[in-house]
Amino acid sequence: MKSIKDIDLQSKFKNTIVEQENDLRCERCGNLYDYVKFSNGSEEHIGCDCKMIAMAKDSTSNHKEKVKREKINSFFKHSISNKDLKNATFDNYIPPNDNLDKSKGLIQRYVSEFSMDSEHQRSLLLQGSYGIGKSHLAMSALKEIKAQGYSVLFFDVPQLISTYRSTYSKKSDMTERELDKIIQDADFLVLDDYGTSLSAYGKSKMFEVMNLRTGQNNIFTTNNSEQELTADKDLSKIFSRMMKNTTTIKMSGEDYRLKK
Ligand SMILES: Nc1ncnc2c1ncn2[C@@H]1O[C@H](COP(=O)(O)OP(=O)(O)OP(=O)(O)O)[C@@H](O)[C@H]1O
Ligand SMILES: [Mg+2]
Ligand SMILES: [Zn+2]
């Protein structure tokens, strides 16, 4: 026999209730709830707050993601020092030869395939001589990835190392661990001008940074050859981490700076 409560519930829904159990206890949220099943197969737990709790959690974690992204992007704004690259885009990079045309195409493809999916995170190593557009193209990629809504960072290596050093100062508004976290959390990092002329401190920092970034989305640029980048044990350890899921693009051409 239908109780008054059953009839009451039915009046609230368009679909016919075909099954109902009242005053059940939800093991997760602890609330009493009524279970109803409708003629169209859908079910409701009326009185159970689990769905709402999950929705609230989801929006806080979305919120946290957003805050994290904004923090990295605001840090990014302060980290850009190179005026040369301020206006760099794919559009204003005019490849002077086939190799650089192909390189540009590969970097654009990297951008179009960019993904935060852990299985699809990849890196590029742009390798070649001076003034051929490695930094220009890395910055162009960064701008497009940022425009897609991802958090991005751009550091040239000496600048990153000096930023790390500055965290030891009493005046610093950021601790070393906070900088680690910013670097680790960025969706995409450009590490520009990585090279072999590093101090012992520089090497150990780069090792730590590579550990933070290995397997994520990065573009590295360098003037050094693979042989140079593996010239000693410390460099080799850095290089081996750098090369995880990384494609090398060998770039060659004349120095654009000299032409101008
Ligand atoms: N093909 C090009 N079209 C337009 N601008 C270019 C081109 N190649 C280089 N440039 C410009 O020349 C300058 C030097 O290029 P960039 O800094 O990208 O060189 P690089 O390969 O990173 O050199 P380095 O190894 O010295 O860091 C930049 O201002 C860049 O915008
Ligand atoms: Mg450069
Ligand atoms: Zn519940």
Side-chain angles (χ1 to χ4, degrees):
M1 212 188 103
K2 287 191 170 188
S3 70
I4 300 218
K5 194 170 175 191
D6 296 347
I7 296 161
D8 231 32
L9 260 179
Q10 178 62 75
S11 68
K12 289 191 188 133
F13 299 105
K14 272 190 289 180
N15 283 303
T16 317
I17 293 173
V18 293
E19 227 180 291
Q20 177 168 356
E21 275 183 78
N22 293 336
D23 297 329
L24 302 170
R25 178 74 66 186
C26 173
E27 281 174 19
R28 278 199 290 165
C29 67
N31 287 3
L32 280 179
Y33 70 92
D34 298 338
Y35 168 80
V36 286
K37 188 171 179 180
F38 298 99
S39 51
N40 69 354
S42 72
E43 298 170 313
E44 288 275 355
H45 294 86
I46 299 151
C48 154
D49 284 338
C50 290
K51 241 192 214 166
M52 266 202 340
I53 293 167
M55 264 162 59
K57 260 202 194 134
D58 186 49
S59 76
T60 8
S61 81
N62 277 341
H63 178 70
K64 277 194 191 138
E65 274 299 310
K66 198 171 156 225
V67 168
K68 201 172 82 185
R69 213 161 40 232
E70 277 165 5
K71 194 171 169 193
I72 292 166
N73 284 338
S74 84
F75 190 76
F76 164 68
K77 276 188 208 132
H78 297 291
S79 76
I80 291 299
S81 58
N82 191 333
K83 289 202 180 65
D84 261 11
L85 300 175
K86 215 174 160 202
N87 299 314
T89 61
F90 284 124
D91 279 345
N92 61 27
Y93 183 83
I94 315 300
N97 63 41
D98 278 357
N99 165 279
L100 291 175
D101 187 46
K102 216 174 133 210
S103 303
K104 176 181 171 179
L106 290 171
I107 297 162
Q108 285 179 300
R109 197 168 85 196
Y110 175 83
V111 171
S112 68
E113 290 171 355
F114 187 89
S115 164
M116 284 304 292
D117 200 1
S118 58
E119 276 165 32
H120 292 104
Q121 302 215 20
R122 291 202 300 125
S123 298
L124 297 177
L125 172 63
L126 312 185
Q127 194 176 44
S129 64
Y130 309 100
I132 57 176
K134 299 183 299 297
S135 302
H136 184 122
L137 289 171
M139 180 58 94
S140 310
L142 175 142
K143 283 177 182 166
E144 295 208 353
I145 290 166
K146 184 169 190 283
Q148 289 172 28
Y150 295 105
S151 61
V152 299
L153 284 178
F154 188 105
F155 277 108
D156 75 60
V157 168
Q159 178 198 16
L160 177 59
I161 291 168
S162 72
T163 306
Y164 263 107
R165 273 192 196 283
S166 72
T167 62
Y168 306 140
S169 150
K170 278 204 183 99
K171 280 180 280 175
S172 172
D173 53 5
M174 184 174 47
T175 66
E176 188 178 21
R177 289 293 148 257
E178 282 167 339
L179 181 54
D180 281 348
K181 184 108 184 59
I182 283 171
I183 287 172
Q184 182 166 32
D185 286 348
D187 297 335
F188 174 68
L189 170 74
V190 174
L191 217 47
D192 197 28
D193 248 324
Y194 172 68
T196 53
S197 55
L198 290 170
S199 63
Y201 174 77
K203 277 185 192 171
S204 79
K205 256 310 104 187
M206 284 315 298
F207 178 73
E208 286 170 28
V209 167
M210 286 304 169
N211 270 332
L212 294 175
R213 292 301 304 180
T214 187
Q216 298 203 65
N217 294 304
N218 308 290
I219 291 184
F220 310 109
T221 82
T222 186
N223 292 140
N224 290 119
S225 67
E226 191 164 325
Q227 205 177 11
E228 289 164 330
L229 293 175
T230 53
D232 67 34
K233 200 177 148 210
D234 290 335
L235 289 170
S236 299
K237 281 166 71 179
I238 297 169
F239 189 67
S240 124
R241 281 158 181 79
M242 187 170 182
M243 292 315 288
K244 177 152 194 252
N245 301 338
T246 299
T247 308
T248 302
I249 298 178
K250 294 202 166 145
M251 295 168 59
S252 58
E254 283 170 39
D255 187 343
Y256 189 90
R257 294 187 190 103
L258 293 184
K259 273 195 272 180
K260 282 216 122 178

